[in-house]
Amino acid sequence: MSELHADPDAPAIEVRDLHKSFGANEVLKGIDLEVDNGDVVCVIGPSGSGKSTLLRCVNLLEEPTSGDVYVEGIQVTDPDIDVDKVRARIGMVFQQFNLFPHLSVLRNLTISQQRVKKRGKDESTEVAKRNLDRVGLSDKIDAFPAHLSGGQQQRVAIARALSMDPDMMLFDEVTSALDPELVGDVLAVMKQLATEGMTMMVVTHEMGFAREVGDNLVFMDDGVIVEEGDPRAVLSDPQHERTQEFLSKVL
Amino acid sequence: MALSPRRRARVSRGIQYAVLVLAVLLAVAFADWGTIQNQFFNIDKVGTMLPDVFAVALKNTILYTACGFAFGLVLGLVLALMRLSPVGPYRWVSTGIIEFFRGVPALVVFIAFDVGISFAFPGYAVPGDKLGIATVSLGLVGGAYMAETIRAGIQAVPKGQMEAARSLGMSHTRAMISIVIPQAFRIILPPLTNELILLTKDSSLVYVLGYTSATVELTAFGRETLNQEKNLTPLVAIAFCYLLITIPLSILVRRMEARAGKAR
């Protein structure tokens, strides 16, 4: 097995001619994308446009049908690569939170540190406490996920991903399942992360977040990237007809 | 005169209660209470069964059931994981074993592992004597049922749980052990307990293996005492012993289901 040597000069994420089909249904029809270190890239588009699938191809939760994905210069689509090691470097936050309901908040944050990173109990607890503090939920350390609100669960999920000290974070419509009044807290945590320099790829419907925090905006429709560029420019003056049509509906 | 539907329902219910009361009165008036007490609830006959009914028979029933259940649980988990495997041959083998042992009467399995083995392979026997045969037979039959329950439990854990675990860098096996299987067992605790109740009763089949006064379980013990005493009381007594095991388990299942319902 080849060792994973990150190339510091390579982009954080590089996607080349990515295709993904589910049976006869081609969801991604040739995606090329780069995410530079420290950048926040927001991916928008109508449902079914393939934006979540693209995100899930980056950490290989979905196996691409063809094309290549590079993470920090490492070709993760290479069959000789240990996917688990790559995934441990990429934090992911899901629409449905996916906290482990049978474990306490603390255990949610420590279990993969101990099992994957082989950290001891004290160190992993220390890291967990630090990250819970980052998302403002230190007082929930002994709670179980079912006793938290959706917004709190999602912030715990972010803290759980951060506890693995990832080099980058993927966000898959993380505010879509939340009550409107809880969205702000989660976005605030993500904004904080962005200002701290975290590389982020964010699939979202939150145009305000994209405008304010994003370094790059990607509009996808029907499995292709239709338009991309500076978020403020794309949102206020979309060049492509499909982008205009989509934005006129959501803004 | 036509009665309204509600009045008709009331009259009908009144008649049913009247018939019920009448039946009870007739039973009390005409039943041979002396014979019933002598045959079913004869304290003297119960006395002759003590303490062996608890110290030997009940203990052995619990022992056979526990060993069979433990083996069945491990087997069921392995079969369930094989059933869910992407590798075809694992699935086929597992499905074959499950269908076979679910379809064949437990009694046949007992006979096969007892005399069947000794005829087919002279000189060989299942290790552990009667307990070994009981464990393997009960385990195979129970495991086949439990495999399907466990498989359903694993499939009932949302897919996002596995994905979240994998996204944190856990291997498939690690995610199964730490995340998916613990949640699956929470979901299937009630049906698994029901399986334990069924196995408790199936353990009575151990009698076909033959028994000594030390290895006798409840059913064989009851039958033996029944024949000695020419009285039905021993059978009532061992029936009560089965209920002593199964009713607490039933209550446990109901409690767990109530709690699961509340958590939802």
Side-chain angles (χ1 to χ4, degrees), chain A residues 13 17 31 37 44 64 79 114 131 136 165 167 186 202 251:
Chain A
I13 300 167
D17 194 27
I31 300 283
N37 279 304
I44 61 170
Q114 291 171 10
N131 284 303
D165 296 329
D167 297 338
V186 174
V202 185
L251 284 180

Side-chain angles (χ1 to χ4, degrees), chain B residues 3-13:
Chain B
L3 286 174
S4 75
R6 268 160 71 196
R7 284 203 172 280
R8 211 182 307 148
R10 269 175 78 178
V11 170
S12 158
R13 198 174 310 157

Side-chain angles (χ1 to χ4, degrees), chain B residues 134-153:
Chain B
T135 302
V136 171
S137 308
L138 282 176
L140 276 167
V141 173
Y145 279 98
M146 284 189 268
E148 286 295 83
T149 307
I150 295 169
R151 177 187 60 78

Side-chain angles (χ1 to χ4, degrees), chain A residues 56 84 87 99-100 102 164, chain B residues 161 163 166-168 178:
Chain A
R56 292 159 59 84
D84 296 335
R87 288 203 188 105
L99 290 181
F100 305 135
H102 62 304
M164 293 296 285
Chain B
Q161 292 292 311
E163 289 183 348
R166 297 304 304 270
S167 80
L168 289 162
S178 295

Side-chain angles (χ1 to χ4, degrees), chain B:
Chain B
M1 183 194 68
L3 286 174
S4 75
R6 268 160 71 196
R7 284 203 172 280
R8 211 182 307 148
R10 269 175 78 178
V11 170
S12 158
R13 198 174 310 157
I15 292 171
Q16 289 174 49
Y17 275 119
V19 169
L20 202 65
V21 169
L22 193 67
V24 170
L25 287 176
L26 284 174
V28 169
F30 294 102
D32 182 352
W33 286 104
T35 306
I36 289 175
Q37 200 202 341
N38 181 44
Q39 277 295 320
F40 287 78
F41 306 103
N42 193 321
I43 301 295
D44 295 340
K45 307 287 180 194
V46 172
T48 63
M49 294 171 76
L50 291 171
D52 283 356
V53 65
F54 291 122
V56 179
L58 180 60
K59 186 208 79 183
N60 280 335
T61 288
I62 292 175
L63 180 68
Y64 293 136
T65 307
C67 289
F69 186 74
F71 179 61
L73 199 58
V74 174
L75 184 74
L77 182 58
V78 172
L79 288 174
L81 292 174
M82 285 170 71
R83 192 91 206 257
L84 292 168
S85 164
V87 183
Y90 281 151
R91 288 200 306 274
W92 306 329
V93 168
S94 162
T95 307
I97 293 175
I98 291 170
E99 291 302 335
F100 184 84
F101 284 102
R102 276 205 307 188
V104 173
L107 189 54
V108 174
V109 179
F110 268 93
I111 296 169
F113 277 98
D114 185 22
V115 288
I117 294 268
S118 64
F119 284 140
F121 310 102
Y124 288 92
V126 178
D129 202 33
K130 305 295 180 204
L131 179 60
I133 298 169
T135 302
V136 171
S137 308
L138 282 176
L140 276 167
V141 173
Y145 279 98
M146 284 189 268
E148 286 295 83
T149 307
I150 295 169
R151 177 187 60 78
I154 290 174
Q155 285 179 324
V157 176
K159 218 171 122 236
Q161 292 292 311
M162 174 59 89
E163 289 183 348
R166 297 304 304 270
S167 80
L168 289 162
M170 288 190 205
S171 67
H172 181 86
T173 308
R174 169 48 64 192
M176 266 290 175
I177 293 170
S178 295
I179 305 301
V180 177
I181 291 176
Q183 291 184 56
F185 269 90
R186 258 156 221 242
I187 296 169
I188 60 169
L189 218 46
L192 273 190
T193 314
N194 282 326
E195 186 58 37
L196 181 56
I197 291 172
L198 291 177
L199 273 192
T200 306
K201 296 187 290 176
D202 278 350
S203 73
S204 65
L205 295 170
V206 173
Y207 88 91
V208 298
L209 306 179
Y211 50 86
T212 67
S213 61
T215 65
V216 70
E217 47 67 61
L218 281 173
T219 300
F221 183 79
R223 193 167 80 157
E224 190 121 296
T225 323
L226 169 87
N227 288 336
Q228 279 167 16
E229 304 287 335
K230 310 277 182 261
N231 187 293
L232 199 60
T233 305
L235 230 44
V236 174
I238 65 114
F240 176 75
C241 285
Y242 277 111
L243 299 184
L244 222 52
I245 305 173
T246 57
I247 288 179
L249 287 174
S250 297
I251 293 172
L252 194 67
V253 172
R254 235 167 287 151
R255 285 247 176 96
M256 288 187 296
E257 281 172 345
R259 197 190 295 171
K262 227 182 277 169
R264 216 168 280 140

